[in-house]
Amino acid sequence: MKVFKFGGASVNSVERIKNLGKIVKQYKDEKLLIVISAMGKTTNALEKVAEAFFQGKKDEALQLFDQVKQQHLNVAKSLLVTEYFPCAVQLKNFFTEMEWLVHDKPVRDYDYYYDQVVCIGELLSTSLISYYLVEAGIAIKWLDVRDIIRTDDNFRDATIDWEYTRSKAQSVISPLFDDSNIVLTQGFIGSTDENESTTLGREGSDYTAAIFANIMNAESVTIWKDVQSVMNADPKKFPDAQPISELNYNEVIEMAYYGAQVIHPKTIKPLQNKSIPLFVKCFLEPSLPGTIIHNKSLQKQLPAIIVLKENQAMLEMSSKDFSFVGERHVGVLYHLFEKLKIKPNLTQNGAISFLCVLDDRPEKIERLAIEASELFDVSVVKELSLLTIRHYNKQLFEKMTEGKKVLLRQQTNETIQALIQ
Ligand code: ASP
Ligand code: MG
């Protein structure tokens, strides 16, 4: 069995859904578990619905939700003929569920409501697509993934209950494949043991694909994307970016750690543990080779991999009495990072000061600065970029930092990082 994952951009229009159908048809003799995200920017739109509802603006929430409804019904109308009616019934059932929720007043915390609202996006997109595939003559089974993926109640970033999920997946999904080659379900969402919907964190559909691949011992996972393959740099920032045809999990973990948006970082472990290969393929041109990510050592030498993180802030924390910054100081700081859920992108310890580079999220930086000010004098520099090059060479590094003010630099044999003003 193979797992396919299609992201929001791949199901964003009538044409794209038809294209998904074409791709799936080419694999009609294989067992496929297909995981799909919400259409286009639906998740963002639903976030706005949840916010309005939580702020007590019920009418605004309903109005915003109406746009989501119309958009899905419009796609259904253009896409479907014979299956339009049953599809509209299914969509409307989800609409009603949501409208009931929004009619109440919020009594629980925001993250709970966020998940109850946002999960609809994936349920709507997969419903639409399942009716389309049926109408196109492709037999499938649609599954509400919330019946399978069990999580804790850490809403918006729920943790998987692997044991329950494994046994449920095996008992429910395996028999579905006896009757049909294709099982279609939602990424990103799950549910608690009290049937509350949960989500796995933004962009979490990749992770869902990896969970199923691990549990069902899939032969591979394919993530269908808008890009031709994984690239050695973000082509929007670096027009010379080149495709990478082969990577291994260790390299992808490193890339993700330094901030490359390759695939959702949680995706890697479940695949690596079972040595399941991951293909990244181009949705619009499936004949392109794409990228294969596996567990073996690499045949070819990798090109330099460039990650540029913008919007960085550097905090300099100096001991108040000019004493050395020792274990005690550093220990306190790391406790603060943990408490405030801050992940520094780079740190450096000097004699009387400690430097750390963070994503510039003003509320977090302010809290960190206030709490650290008991032990340190704190100063902040903003509007910085953090450049990371893996497999670097000196010339490339010099070219990329030419004419720029480098405030801080760190390097190992594999990786060089520079903080640029
Ligand atoms: N629809 C969700 C999001 O936009 C999950 C995903 O796309 O993977 O974050
Ligand atoms: Mg997405």
Side-chain angles (χ1 to χ4, degrees):
M1 188 257 277
K2 293 189 166 97
V3 177
F4 279 8
K5 181 261 173 172
F6 294 93
S10 303
V11 292
N12 200 8
S13 65
V14 172
E15 287 67 39
R16 289 190 168 214
I17 295 175
K18 288 186 176 165
N19 191 50
L20 179 152
K22 265 193 225 148
I23 293 177
V24 169
K25 257 192 184 150
Q26 286 169 3
Y27 292 85
K28 66 178 187 324
D29 298 326
E30 306 203 36
K31 303 275 178 208
L32 292 182
L33 178 70
I34 303 180
V35 172
I36 300 183
S37 306
M39 285 173 65
K41 300 274 172 246
T42 306
T43 305
N44 293 4
L46 291 168
E47 283 181 337
K48 296 265 174 330
V49 175
E51 273 164 36
F53 162 72
F54 195 71
Q55 289 163 5
K57 301 178 198 154
K58 185 174 100 183
D59 292 338
E60 189 183 321
L62 285 169
Q63 223 167 23
L64 288 167
F65 184 56
D66 214 50
Q67 294 170 14
V68 175
K69 281 166 59 173
Q70 284 318 321
Q71 195 213 348
H72 284 82
L73 287 172
N74 288 343
V75 173
K77 259 185 216 136
S78 318
L79 196 61
L80 302 168
V81 183
T82 53
E83 296 298 322
Y84 175 72
F85 188 70
C87 177
V89 170
Q90 184 164 333
L91 296 182
K92 282 173 187 164
N93 285 338
F94 288 124
F95 296 161
T96 309
E97 222 177 275
M98 176 76 129
E99 282 158 353
W100 276 349
L101 180 92
V102 176
H103 269 285
D104 283 337
K105 276 205 169 60
V107 288
R108 298 183 56 170
D109 66 8
Y110 175 66
D111 289 352
Y112 164 78
Y113 288 109
Y114 177 102
D115 281 2
Q116 311 319 302
V117 171
V118 161
C119 72
I120 294 270
E122 271 67 16
L123 293 162
L124 296 176
S125 68
T126 53
S127 301
L128 253 172
I129 293 162
S130 71
Y131 282 101
Y132 171 68
L133 293 177
V134 169
E135 191 170 305
I138 304 169
I140 61 124
K141 294 270 187 234
W142 180 90
L143 187 74
D144 186 333
V145 84
R146 296 172 301 175
D147 294 334
I148 312 283
I149 302 252
R150 168 66 61 82
T151 70
D152 66 2
D153 62 358
N154 185 19
F155 297 104
R156 294 183 71 178
D157 190 20
T159 303
I160 305 294
D161 174 344
W162 280 90
E163 209 177 312
Y164 179 95
T165 303
R166 183 181 311 279
S167 91
K168 203 67 199 257
Q170 279 158 357
S171 66
V172 175
I173 298 180
S174 303
L176 292 180
F177 277 118
D178 294 339
D179 295 343
S180 158
N181 270 351
I182 301 176
V183 175
L184 183 109
T185 196
Q186 305 80 41
F188 175 57
I189 67 177
S191 101
T192 67
D193 57 0
E194 295 183 24
N195 280 327
E196 302 148 319
S197 300
T198 53
T199 64
L200 308 178
R202 286 302 307 261
E203 305 301 327
S205 295
D206 290 353
Y207 183 38
T208 306
I211 294 167
F212 280 125
N214 177 297
I215 288 177
M216 311 288 294
N217 294 313
E219 127 202 6
S220 64
V221 175
T222 305
I223 297 185
W224 295 91
K225 267 181 171 296
D226 249 16
V227 290
Q228 68 175 106
S229 66
V230 177
M231 310 289 279
N232 75 325
D234 180 351
K236 283 184 220 124
K237 293 179 194 158
F238 301 96
D240 300 341
Q242 315 159 28
I244 303 178
S245 58
E246 189 189 3
L247 282 168
N248 62 24
Y249 285 114
N250 289 336
E251 185 63 34
V252 173
I253 289 170
E254 294 286 341
M255 288 169 73
Y257 175 80
Y258 291 111
Q261 265 140 19
V262 208
I263 46 170
H264 193 286
K266 281 189 193 165
T267 311
I268 298 158
K269 264 284 145 217
L271 300 180
Q272 189 179 30
N273 285 354
K274 289 208 169 164
S275 294
I276 298 170
L278 171 65
F279 297 96
V280 176
K281 294 271 290 174
C282 180
F283 177 75
L284 293 172
E285 282 185 64
S287 59
L288 292 176
T291 303
I292 173 168
I293 302 166
H294 52 56
N295 231 354
K296 298 176 262 188
S297 52
L298 294 172
Q299 300 297 314
K300 268 195 275 173
Q301 212 192 331
L302 286 173
I305 292 172
I306 300 163
V307 184
L308 186 67
K309 264 178 161 289
E310 280 155 349
N311 217 1
Q312 300 293 296
M314 181 178 78
L315 269 72
E316 177 164 16
M317 293 176 268
S318 316
S319 59
K320 289 200 159 160
D321 51 3
F322 294 100
S323 62
F324 286 142
V325 175
E327 302 76 52
R328 190 174 70 87
H329 292 84
V330 178
V332 169
L333 281 174
Y334 272 89
H335 278 300
L336 276 178
F337 293 154
E338 196 192 355
K339 179 170 128 192
L340 303 176
K341 293 194 180 150
I342 287 177
K343 290 196 189 91
N345 297 323
L346 189 104
T347 58
Q348 187 151 298
N349 199 3
I352 57 165
S353 75
F354 181 90
L355 295 174
C356 76
V357 178
L358 314 169
D359 293 342
D360 186 3
R361 294 176 56 191
E363 57 323 320
K364 289 220 169 178
I365 289 180
E366 196 175 321
R367 282 197 61 194
L368 177 64
I370 290 170
E371 299 221 18
S373 66
E374 285 186 15
L375 262 185
F376 303 95
D377 287 324
V378 183
S379 67
V380 185
V381 187
K382 293 199 173 198
E383 288 178 41
L384 307 175
S385 315
L386 181 61
L387 171 71
T388 304
I389 312 179
R390 283 187 53 73
H391 319 294
Y392 64 96
N393 59 56
K394 203 166 152 246
Q395 294 86 314
L396 178 65
F397 180 75
E398 275 164 10
K399 189 174 140 220
M400 294 203 63
T401 50
E402 197 178 277
K404 295 186 178 132
K405 190 167 166 199
V406 175
L407 297 187
L408 184 65
R409 175 208 284 225
Q410 262 180 23
Q411 71 192 88
T412 63
N413 285 341
E414 283 294 1
T415 307
I416 190 162
Q417 292 191 284
L419 186 66
I420 295 169
Q421 192 159 33

